[in-house]
Amino acid sequence: MSTLSPTNRRQFLALLGLSAVAVGCGTAAGSGGSAKGGTRTLRYQGWAGQVTPAELAQHLGYLEDVRLEWVGNTISGPQDIQSAATGQTDFGGAFNGAVVKLAASGAPIKAVISYYGSDKDSYSGYYVLADSPLRSARDLIGKKVGMNTLGAHSEAMLDIYLRRGGLSPADADKVEPLVVPPVSTEQSLRQKQIDVAVLSGVLRDKAMAGGGLRPLFTDHQLLGSFSAGTYVLTERFIKQNPDTVRTFVTGVGRALDWSRATPRDEVVARMTEIVRKRKRNEDADALRYWRSYGVAEPGGRITGKELQLWIDWLAERGDVDRGRVRLGALYTNDHNRNRKVTS
């Protein structure tokens, strides 16, 4: 595992947007469509052993004649949206804080639909040993919190928890977030190499089944149900391919609604079929633990507050210049033909 001082943590966060410096001057032309015709193929990155809402939409037939072209897998949301911004792929998805940071760095991107979030079934929990004395935010001073990456969802939730717990910035800096590979996080906690482990999905369920752990807090307890990440495309791609974007966004929204309305066992069976048929040499076993995508709004429509939260968080930390991000330019629901919500 790696450790970073508070100063280095902020330097790390600043790196998140560096690749976007050249993007503002780049073409990000997508897969060669024109304003007159436009492409009906969208290049994207997947996640090993998982079925994304876009992949589910394609399998359900909701993308109509729009075709997804898989170019490989990613393990990083920030990398995924940077690939979209630089034209290596046509769309990517990431934690909304990463979207804000990339946009603030000058990348010509726009969020078009939410694709994951937190609800009562799908959430990230911050777990301690059952006999741990840690009970409150103040108890975390001087303690280590293991998470999959810094500068993203897990660290943001930790910061919010510490702030709501009354910690001053100086005291909050004494809480040490550490990068721990997700598959090793539970073991690191049980061996007392860390004091708190951030766990979600199958890893959370397996850890809790093993006993001896209890939650300190969860992101759902902090913020309720909320959409946490969005798919983004470049403004140029949207302009050149409006019909394709409309079909894609609306189809993904329909797939999200289908996953909510359909019995869980049927959704898992469909996802398992998708993974097996695509033949990417991956293990579909973890899908049996799937509960939901966690997207809060019908049709995956984006609400301004979901992005404003991270604009404020990053600005308060000094990681973005508030003047470099205009909420209205950051996202759009114009291409989503699913049910509307109030922003």
Side-chain angles (χ1 to χ4, degrees), residues 28-30 32-39 235-243:
S34 67
K36 183 177 180 179
T39 181
E235 294 174 350
R236 178 172 180 173
F237 187 92
I238 293 171
K239 183 177 181 180
Q240 291 182 335
N241 305 279
D243 291 338

Side-chain angles (χ1 to χ4, degrees), residues 161-192:
Y161 176 71
L162 297 176
R163 185 174 70 240
R164 290 187 180 180
L167 269 65
S168 66
D171 283 339
D173 277 345
K174 296 174 185 175
V175 181
E176 188 176 7
L178 305 177
V179 175
V180 183
V183 295
S184 304
T185 307
E186 177 192 352
Q187 181 182 11
S188 296
L189 177 62
R190 294 190 187 278
Q191 293 180 347
K192 300 184 178 181

Side-chain angles (χ1 to χ4, degrees), residues 1 5 31 60 71 89 104 116 143 162 166 201 207 253 263 271 281 300 325:
M1 69 182 67
S5 68
S31 49
L60 290 168
V71 300
T89 58
Y116 87 90
K143 304 303 181 183
L162 297 176
M271 289 180 169
N281 191 30
V325 186

Side-chain angles (χ1 to χ4, degrees), residues 2-44:
S2 61
T3 63
L4 292 174
S5 68
T7 298
N8 286 336
R9 278 204 330 263
R10 289 189 171 85
Q11 292 173 344
F12 172 88
L13 293 172
L15 290 175
L16 203 66
L18 284 182
S19 67
V21 173
V23 173
C25 300
T27 60
S31 49
S34 67
K36 183 177 180 179
T39 181
R40 299 299 278 179
T41 298
L42 294 172
R43 298 164 301 150
Y44 79 104

Side-chain angles (χ1 to χ4, degrees), residues 37-310:
T39 181
R40 299 299 278 179
T41 298
L42 294 172
R43 298 164 301 150
Y44 79 104
Q45 296 182 116
W47 293 75
Q50 299 181 36
V51 176
T52 67
E55 291 170 327
L56 179 61
Q58 178 173 248
H59 196 266
L60 290 168
Y62 294 162
L63 298 188
E64 302 174 11
D65 65 333
V66 170
R67 185 176 70 89
L68 300 184
E69 180 182 331
W70 177 70
V71 300
N73 285 331
T74 184
I75 58 171
S76 165
Q79 184 277 331
D80 197 30
I81 60 175
Q82 287 169 5
S83 292
T86 55
Q88 298 172 68
T89 58
D90 297 315
F91 73 90
F95 158 62
N96 281 333
V99 173
V100 169
K101 195 166 184 64
L102 191 58
S105 298
I109 58 170
K110 192 177 290 286
V112 294
I113 189 168
S114 297
Y115 77 103
Y116 87 90
S118 176
D119 61 18
K120 63 181 180 61
D121 297 316
S122 180
Y123 57 87
S124 291
Y126 292 66
Y127 292 87
V128 298
L129 296 175
D131 60 356
S132 170
L134 303 181
R135 298 282 177 179
S136 69
R138 189 156 297 278
D139 293 335
L140 296 185
I141 295 175
K143 304 303 181 183
K144 299 176 180 179
V145 182
M147 58 188 65
N148 68 326
T149 188
L150 301 183
H153 185 99
S154 295
E155 189 174 6
M157 294 300 110
L158 177 61
D159 280 357
I160 291 172
Y161 176 71
L162 297 176
R163 185 174 70 240
R164 290 187 180 180
L167 269 65
S168 66
D171 283 339
D173 277 345
K174 296 174 185 175
V175 181
E176 188 176 7
L178 305 177
V179 175
V180 183
V183 295
S184 304
T185 307
E186 177 192 352
Q187 181 182 11
S188 296
L189 177 62
R190 294 190 187 278
Q191 293 180 347
K192 300 184 178 181
Q193 295 172 325
I194 57 178
D195 303 288
V196 183
V198 183
L199 300 168
S200 62
V202 57
L203 297 177
R204 178 198 64 224
D205 292 345
K206 291 175 66 176
M208 293 304 291
L213 306 181
R214 62 173 172 82
L216 183 63
F217 69 95
T218 71
D219 58 358
H220 187 247
Q221 289 172 342
L222 281 181
L223 299 178
S225 296
F226 66 100
S227 297
T230 47
Y231 280 149
V232 304
L233 299 95
T234 63
E235 294 174 350
R236 178 172 180 173
F237 187 92
I238 293 171
K239 183 177 181 180
Q240 291 182 335
N241 305 279
D243 291 338
T244 298
V245 174
R246 186 176 301 110
T247 301
F248 170 71
V249 172
T250 302
V252 170
R254 287 183 65 193
L256 289 168
D257 288 346
W258 179 88
S259 73
R260 270 191 292 261
T262 304
R264 177 180 170 276
D265 288 348
E266 185 177 336
V267 178
V268 170
R270 172 82 64 153
M271 289 180 169
T272 302
E273 179 185 358
I274 292 170
V275 169
R276 288 175 177 166
K277 283 187 174 180
R278 68 192 183 192
K279 297 180 180 179
R280 297 181 190 170
N281 191 30
E282 56 193 329
D283 186 1
D285 186 63
L287 289 173
R288 60 194 175 97
Y289 293 95
W290 183 90
R291 296 177 181 275
S292 81
Y293 285 118
V295 173
E297 300 295 342
R301 295 178 70 89
I302 303 168
T303 63
K305 64 182 181 181
E306 295 165 347
L307 288 159
Q308 188 64 53
L309 176 68
W310 308 117

